[in-house]
Amino acid sequence: IERHPTPTLAPRGSPSPAMLSKAAFARAVGLRLAPPQQRRWQSAIVGALQSKIKALADQKAPQFAALRKEHANVPIGEVDIGMCIGGARGVKCILSETSLLDPMEGIRYRGLTLEEVNERLPKAPGGKVGLPEASLWLLLTGEIPTHAEVKALNEELHKRAAIPEHVLKLIDDLPRDMHPMTQLSMGLLALQPTSKFGAAYRSGTLKKTEYWKAVLEDALFLVAQISPLSARIFRNVFFDGKHIPSDPSLDWAGNYAQMLGVNDTEEFKEVTRLYLMLHADHEGGNVSAHTTHLVGSALSDPYSAYTA
């Protein structure tokens, strides 16, 4: 809380905090709340992640500036009528930093083949598959995370995974024959009011240079919340609403496999880790990724962009 130079003592007859919301009470007694994105205590691992993302951005910024200045008018391809009729299929118009999709060798993450990624990423105890949450770190920072960083990131995701009761009730009340992706979209939109970026943007206090930090906050919450939300939908549709609680001792993907409850073997956890690691990024040009980027470019919050 930041204080105005006006007196901070509540005047006689002022409402008590119990009678007002935090914001309303603060206004009544001459206090001004700090912007929403500054109120949450930041963990060490999120701070480290932010520092690494900023370092990479600072490194890349001159390259993008030179590209824009020196090659802005260089054509990169042709567009024909067939491409237009086909929904822009084959049109080269997206710059992707995180991954590259080659028709012959497949996807590379930050220049590494998927085989190299799987070999180098930290793994679950006794596992042979690179953890997908470690691939998230790689995609965001350009660096292979240490085991300690992945452990701390997993702990952070577990802390952010709680889903409000009203969202759980919404999901549980949906018809069982409703498509799971429709249910997932409704669940994510129900979480949208918790968006840190949305709140900070509407407050008018968020600088453009700080947008990415609020977006990162939302993205981490999304990654954390989507696994218990998806597992709940799966258990509602296929297991008559009999749910399996989250296990904070497990890694993010292993815990997701546990909550799905298809079986409790380590092999199923490994397959789930592999599947999610292989699909962590897709060059940004496929329909779903492109739609997310397009909606996000209009300054929609990550919940709205991902749901689209």
Side-chain angles (χ1 to χ4, degrees):
I1 293 177
E2 298 171 356
R3 298 184 182 273
H4 284 308
T6 53
T8 58
L9 291 178
R12 185 182 302 274
S14 293
S16 70
M19 298 170 57
L20 294 173
S21 69
K22 183 188 296 183
F25 180 74
R27 289 193 297 270
V29 299
L31 298 177
R32 179 164 58 89
L33 291 177
Q37 74 275 13
Q38 296 176 8
R39 294 179 205 156
R40 183 182 183 275
W41 177 78
Q42 185 184 86
S43 68
I45 192 62
V46 174
L49 183 59
Q50 285 185 353
S51 296
K52 289 180 179 293
I53 292 173
K54 186 178 186 305
L56 181 61
D58 291 343
Q59 174 189 335
K60 293 289 185 179
Q63 299 177 20
F64 284 116
L67 188 65
R68 187 180 296 112
K69 180 179 180 180
E70 300 169 14
H71 305 283
N73 297 319
V74 176
I76 58 175
E78 297 181 353
V79 179
D80 56 37
I81 293 177
M83 290 176 173
C84 294
I85 295 176
R89 182 180 295 274
V91 176
K92 296 179 180 179
C93 60
I94 296 176
L95 179 63
S96 178
E97 270 286 298
T98 52
S99 64
L100 174 67
L101 178 59
D102 185 274
M104 300 304 295
E105 69 173 12
I107 301 176
R108 284 178 175 264
Y109 291 171
R110 292 291 184 183
L112 299 174
T113 66
L114 290 180
E115 290 82 3
E116 293 170 332
V117 169
N118 188 56
E119 178 183 350
R120 295 178 60 180
L121 288 181
K123 301 166 178 61
K128 298 181 180 179
V129 175
L131 293 172
E133 51 270 46
S135 66
L136 172 65
W137 186 283
L138 169 64
L139 291 167
L140 289 174
T141 69
E143 299 179 7
I144 298 291
T146 64
H147 283 276
E149 287 169 335
V150 174
K151 181 177 182 295
L153 179 60
N154 261 309
E155 292 172 353
E156 180 70 18
L157 293 176
H158 277 298
K159 292 175 184 177
R160 293 170 179 252
I163 298 176
E165 283 298 323
H166 72 274
V167 178
L168 296 179
K169 184 178 185 304
L170 169 69
I171 294 299
D172 292 345
D173 288 345
L174 294 175
R176 295 295 190 257
D177 59 353
M178 180 182 286
H179 195 286
M181 289 303 294
T182 303
Q183 297 189 47
L184 179 62
S185 294
M186 294 177 70
L188 292 176
L189 281 177
L191 289 168
Q192 186 276 338
T194 67
S195 168
K196 302 298 183 292
F197 174 80
Y201 182 75
R202 289 191 298 271
S203 74
T205 61
L206 188 63
K207 298 179 181 178
K208 287 185 177 181
T209 55
E210 300 293 307
Y211 281 0
W212 69 273
K213 292 183 180 179
V215 169
L216 178 63
E217 274 290 300
D218 279 359
L220 291 174
F221 272 106
L222 259 172
V223 171
Q225 293 172 319
I226 198 170
S227 55
L229 185 62
S230 300
R232 193 172 191 91
I233 293 169
F234 179 79
R235 298 293 299 186
N236 280 346
V237 172
F238 298 106
F239 289 88
D240 197 30
K242 298 175 181 177
H243 304 296
I244 299 173
S246 173
D247 184 351
S249 69
L250 293 172
D251 56 279
W252 176 78
N255 186 45
Y256 177 50
Q258 177 84 1
M259 289 187 292
L260 288 176
V262 174
N263 62 60
D264 59 359
T265 64
E266 187 59 32
E267 287 77 12
F268 181 62
K269 291 184 179 65
E270 279 285 89
V271 168
T272 303
R273 292 171 183 130
L274 179 62
Y275 183 87
L276 295 174
M277 186 274 287
L278 294 176
H279 292 83
D281 201 42
H282 198 272
E283 199 183 37
N286 65 327
V287 173
S288 56
H290 176 62
T291 301
T292 301
H293 291 177
L294 184 65
V295 176
S297 71
L299 297 181
S300 298
D301 62 81
Y303 289 90
S304 301
Y306 189 88
T307 303

